[in-house]
Amino acid sequence: LAAILEIKQDMVAVYNLLRSLDLDKEVEEEITLADLAAACSPATRVALGVLRFCIAAMASAISGLYVVFGVVNDTGELRWLGALVFGATDAPGLLYSAFLAPPFMVVALLALRDLIRQIATTYAAAPRLKRAIIVMVVVMVWLVQGLVVGPMLAHPRAKGTVLVTLLSLIFVWPPLMIAYAWTTAPSADEARLPIKHSRIALLYHKFFGLNGKYFALKVQVTQMMSVVLQAWTKLPLLGAFVSVHPRLGPISDIGYVEYYDEGGTPSAPIFWTILAALIVNAIYPMVLLVQRDAFWNRRAVAVVDGMLDLIFGQVFFFTMLLNGMFSAALPTTPIAMLSLFYPSIHVVFCACAIEEAAADLKARKRRETASASARGEGGSFTNRESLVSSRTSMAVTGRVRKTDALPLWKGLRFGAVALGAVAVALFGLCHDRYPLLVAIPGPCAPCICNDARVLTGCPYHAELKESFLWIGERGLTAVEKGAFKGNEGAGFIHLYGNELETLPAGVFSGLRNPRGIRLERNKIEELPPGLFDALGTLENLLMGHNRLEELPPGLFDALGRLRSLNLHGNRLRHLPSETFRGLQRVTAIDVSANNISHPGIGADTFANPDLAFVSLAHNPTLRSVEAGAFGESLEHVWLTGNNLTCARLTGTDGALPSGAGCADEGVCSATFGVAPLGNGVCDEKRDPRYNTAEC
């Protein structure tokens, strides 16, 4: 008994503290879900509905994309797609997805649940209209999910696990999310029941809610965090983005056309939009929180906050996504991911806070009016204002008490510190990029080279996890061995149109997911043995219009997934029968316009199992092709400009397989010759010559 009494005595201080919080009156408010729907004006309800829909659709799409890229990152043929988000990582993509996707799934569930609840309570008296609007909303959410994830179904290699994942994200996840939101929506009877808040929730609403006593303090803390988080993550990223991509073309041109000096539209407005939003974020609390009018001091703050969250979250996400910057749209580092997640979840909470605050003020005004009538004071409130809580005073007068409004000097202090944080991010973290550097200096921009035009690195691409390195037509004379350090996740290296005479051994060895390398239109005379040994995932290799006279033995042996090989316009004199033996999946080889002669084309030279197209055109000294030189998979061979004819190849030499086509007049003069034929990326829209009889 003594121990129990001692414990009770120790708890007296806690009991006194709880009594001092005066939460009993808060319990008496008894706000219902129907009150939440009725308290806001029609325009406010529409705005909240739009906010919730946008967040539900965006968060669902983000979670789906994290899962998709995680799955493809763990597949061999599509790993380069995963690298667009995760870079050159050794960790499983699904491990990333397991941590990154669920938070956005929760946001999508909460936003859609609140949206359906809002519709259900607003249109409780019209069941048919209610159901029609809910159906329309969920279909639109489903449609957005399909539009974001669905295009990946068209990829020719979306098979197996990838296909199952894509179909699940379109036809399983959205219905489950919709079913949860719909089944948790309140019925008409449930909407009339009072909302039960915990003591902690009541405490939060009283002191830090939208109508709370210390709302101004909470806004200062949260908005300072938001300014620092968004400025220090997005400004350096966007600075690098604009430096690498000063001009942007349509999304269909990504990877095919470089927009750097001309064409397309400027990308700088994206940077200035985010910077303007940050400046507004730094200024609006010191302007609005000092006002005494409740509309400006409270509701306007919530509205501006929600709009800024949309810019930092949704606008940024879709802008980066539509410009192919998947690593920016789907960040993986904790801080960058938080900069996308925080605005999303904050919009959900802001929408609920606006509804609850409006209902709370309405209930308080109703109670105070009834209390005044019972006392016979009519509508008078002046004599009682000092006796009621600050929230009741705000409900009746529409004004915030002077003690609850932010003093002007504190507002100015907040603005100065917040603007200082933006300035630090702008002048400190962006000192080596846009906007402090209008353009990256040097002829190799946006990569870096020395005065001798030797490529030394592409650090901005590495920061952005770029898959496409456009370094063509920069006048490069050489490439340092470690030039691609930091860009191990790059999938496509464009080095065409330079002055390269050779490449250092191991220059590509660090690449994890290479798919295409363009070296055409250089002055390459020799290549080191083993140059491509570490590029087992490479699919397209274009080396036309160089000065190669011979190829090192085994140069292509490690390229088991190569599908396109272009050696057009070199000076090759001899092709040993083992030259292409390692190319087990190649579909097209172009060795036209060379000097291939003695001893001709030997047996098994082009006997690769999937090889369908071979161009030997314009090798004027080529005189013979041995039987067995081509495999049974051959579909067409070009002999134009040689001392060979199709008739001879078919008859006397007997080298042409049965059913294979042959042309000794006309030649496929498309940009990359016959190399892209049969590999699924030949596009007649980009080069109409692929739609001609010669090709």
Side-chain angles (χ1 to χ4, degrees):
L1 181 60
I4 294 175
L5 291 175
E6 183 178 353
I7 293 174
K8 183 177 181 182
Q9 182 64 30
D10 292 339
M11 293 298 292
V12 169
V14 178
Y15 294 148
N16 291 334
L17 174 63
L18 291 176
R19 291 192 188 99
S20 69
L21 297 178
D22 192 22
L23 296 178
D24 293 338
K25 294 181 180 179
E26 312 300 330
V27 181
E28 296 172 2
E29 295 301 329
E30 293 192 348
I31 298 173
T32 67
L33 291 175
D35 292 332
L36 296 183
C40 297
S41 66
T44 302
R45 288 198 294 269
V46 171
L48 293 179
V50 171
L51 280 175
R52 284 168 168 152
F53 170 80
C54 291
I55 292 301
M58 182 193 78
S60 177
I62 291 175
S63 63
L65 288 175
Y66 270 127
V67 173
V68 169
F69 281 103
V71 170
V72 300
N73 190 70
D74 294 340
T75 61
E77 293 188 348
L78 294 175
R79 186 176 175 83
W80 69 275
L81 277 174
L84 294 177
V85 174
F86 305 117
T89 177
D90 292 324
L94 283 178
L95 182 63
Y96 277 99
S97 299
F99 284 96
L100 297 172
F104 290 95
M105 290 181 176
V106 172
V107 172
L109 285 172
L110 293 177
L112 188 60
R113 182 201 64 184
D114 290 345
L115 177 57
I116 293 180
R117 184 265 304 160
Q118 178 186 337
I119 297 171
T121 52
T122 301
Y123 300 98
R128 291 185 179 179
L129 179 60
K130 176 185 72 175
R131 285 192 291 270
I133 295 176
I134 291 176
V135 169
M136 179 184 68
V137 166
V138 298
V139 168
M140 290 175 64
V141 172
W142 200 341
L143 181 61
V144 171
Q145 181 83 351
L147 290 175
V148 173
V149 179
M152 295 188 180
L153 288 171
H155 198 286
R157 296 176 195 173
K159 302 174 183 178
T161 304
V162 176
L163 180 61
V164 171
T165 302
L166 291 172
L167 293 176
S168 299
L169 289 171
I170 297 175
F171 298 107
V172 178
W173 160 242
L176 288 176
M177 179 177 66
I178 292 167
Y180 166 80
W182 202 319
T183 54
T184 55
S187 63
D189 292 335
E190 292 172 336
R192 289 190 289 269
L193 297 176
I195 301 173
K196 298 297 183 182
H197 289 297
S198 67
R199 296 279 176 167
I200 295 177
L202 291 173
L203 188 64
Y204 174 82
H205 290 314
K206 178 174 182 177
F207 292 104
F208 300 106
L210 190 56
N211 298 331
K213 182 175 182 61
Y214 301 115
F215 173 74
L217 175 62
K218 185 196 76 171
V219 170
Q220 291 180 84
V221 173
T222 57
Q223 294 313 303
M224 185 63 69
M225 292 173 55
S226 178
V227 168
V228 172
L229 179 65
Q230 301 299 337
W232 291 18
T233 56
K234 287 186 169 56
L235 289 186
L237 181 70
L238 289 174
F241 172 69
V242 177
S243 295
V244 173
H245 303 287
R247 306 192 71 81
L248 301 171
I251 190 171
S252 58
D253 282 349
I254 294 176
Y256 294 97
V257 181
E258 180 189 18
Y259 293 90
Y260 187 75
D261 294 324
E262 57 185 17
T265 57
S267 61
I270 300 174
F271 181 93
W272 294 111
T273 298
I274 297 298
L275 180 60
L278 285 168
I279 293 174
V280 171
N281 204 165
I283 292 177
Y284 89 85
M286 75 175 184
V287 174
L288 297 181
L289 291 177
V290 300
Q291 305 297 321
R292 295 286 306 280
D293 187 285
F295 173 82
W296 296 107
N297 188 280
R298 301 302 168 101
R299 288 186 288 278
V301 168
V303 171
V304 174
D305 196 5
M307 292 174 61
L308 290 171
D309 284 334
L310 280 183
I311 294 174
F312 294 140
Q314 192 169 35
V315 172
F316 178 81
F317 166 72
F318 280 108
T319 301
M320 293 294 99
L321 188 69
L322 293 176
N323 286 290
M325 285 305 306
F326 297 100
S327 62
L330 301 168
T332 55
T333 60
I335 298 299
M337 184 266 192
L338 182 62
S339 71
L340 183 64
F341 173 76
Y342 175 76
S344 305
I345 192 67
H346 196 232
V347 169
V348 176
F349 292 149
C350 274
C352 292
I354 291 172
E355 287 181 325
E356 292 186 1
D360 176 67
L361 292 181
K362 191 172 183 179
R364 289 175 182 278
K365 185 174 183 179
R366 182 173 60 245
R367 185 182 65 182
E368 182 59 29
T369 301
S371 176
S373 298
R375 294 191 303 271
E377 298 177 0
S380 175
F381 180 72
T382 305
N383 296 331
R384 280 183 46 79
E385 184 174 359
S386 61
L387 303 176
V388 299
S389 67
S390 59
R391 286 195 286 175
T392 300
S393 174
M394 189 191 311
V396 177
T397 65
R399 293 180 62 79
V400 176
R401 284 178 174 172
K402 185 177 182 179
T403 55
D404 294 340
L406 186 69
L408 180 59
W409 71 270
K410 288 186 177 181
L412 294 174
R413 180 186 63 184
F414 173 86
V417 175
L419 288 173
V422 176
V424 169
L426 182 61
F427 295 102
L429 303 179
C430 298
H431 67 279
D432 60 346
R433 63 198 65 195
Y434 187 88
L436 299 188
L437 280 182
V438 178
I440 298 173
C444 305
C447 290
I448 307 298
C449 62
N450 58 28
D451 293 339
R453 293 187 179 241
V454 177
L455 181 68
T456 58
C458 298
Y460 301 100
H461 295 77
E463 189 173 337
L464 296 171
K465 297 180 183 177
E466 279 276 357
S467 183
F468 303 95
L469 301 189
W470 291 96
I471 329 171
E473 299 178 336
R474 262 53 173 197
L476 295 179
T477 59
V479 178
E480 286 189 358
K481 183 176 180 179
F484 300 119
K485 184 178 180 180
N487 288 284
E488 290 81 5
F492 302 85
I493 310 295
H494 298 281
L495 286 166
Y496 61 88
N498 287 297
E499 303 292 325
L500 301 176
E501 297 181 359
T502 187
L503 290 167
V507 67
F508 300 124
S509 60
L511 300 179
R512 303 287 187 86
N513 315 293
R515 284 199 66 216
I517 294 178
R518 291 179 58 183
L519 296 168
E520 75 271 16
R521 293 188 286 114
N522 278 282
K523 299 178 180 180
I524 300 176
E525 298 180 353
E526 61 177 356
L527 294 172
L531 178 64
F532 305 123
D533 281 359
L535 308 182
T537 62
L538 192 67
E539 297 185 357
N540 303 287
L541 180 56
L542 308 176
M543 297 193 297
H545 298 285
N546 279 288
R547 301 175 181 179
L548 292 168
E549 295 186 1
E550 61 180 23
L551 300 172
L555 181 65
F556 306 122
D557 284 359
L559 304 182
R561 293 184 182 176
L562 193 74
R563 299 175 66 84
S564 304
L565 177 60
N566 184 8
L567 292 166
H568 168 86
N570 278 279
R571 302 172 181 177
L572 297 174
R573 295 174 295 181
H574 176 45
L575 287 179
S577 58
E578 66 274 10
T579 301
F580 307 119
R581 64 187 174 189
L583 307 181
Q584 298 300 305
R585 299 181 64 177
V586 68
T587 59
I589 297 177
D590 194 325
V591 289
S592 59
N594 279 279
N595 296 320
I596 300 173
S597 55
H598 181 77
I601 305 298
D604 296 328
T605 301
F606 297 108
N608 310 71
D610 292 334
L611 184 57
F613 306 97
V614 175
S615 178
L616 294 168
H618 298 297
N619 281 278
T621 56
L622 180 61
R623 299 180 183 277
S624 66
V625 177
E626 294 182 5
F630 303 106
E632 294 300 321
S633 61
L634 187 71
E635 295 183 19
H636 203 87
V637 62
W638 285 260
L639 299 175
T640 305
N642 293 331
N643 287 320
L644 290 172
T645 63
C646 292
R648 177 182 167 186
L649 204 65
T650 305
T652 306
D653 293 344
L656 195 66
S658 175
C662 180
D664 50 21
E665 292 185 4
V667 66
C668 182
S669 60
T671 304
F672 305 119
V674 306
L677 300 182
N679 68 358
V681 299
C682 180
D683 192 344
E684 63 187 46
K685 293 181 180 178
R686 303 191 181 281
D687 192 336
R689 286 171 289 188
Y690 283 122
N691 196 31
T692 61
E694 289 78 14
C695 295

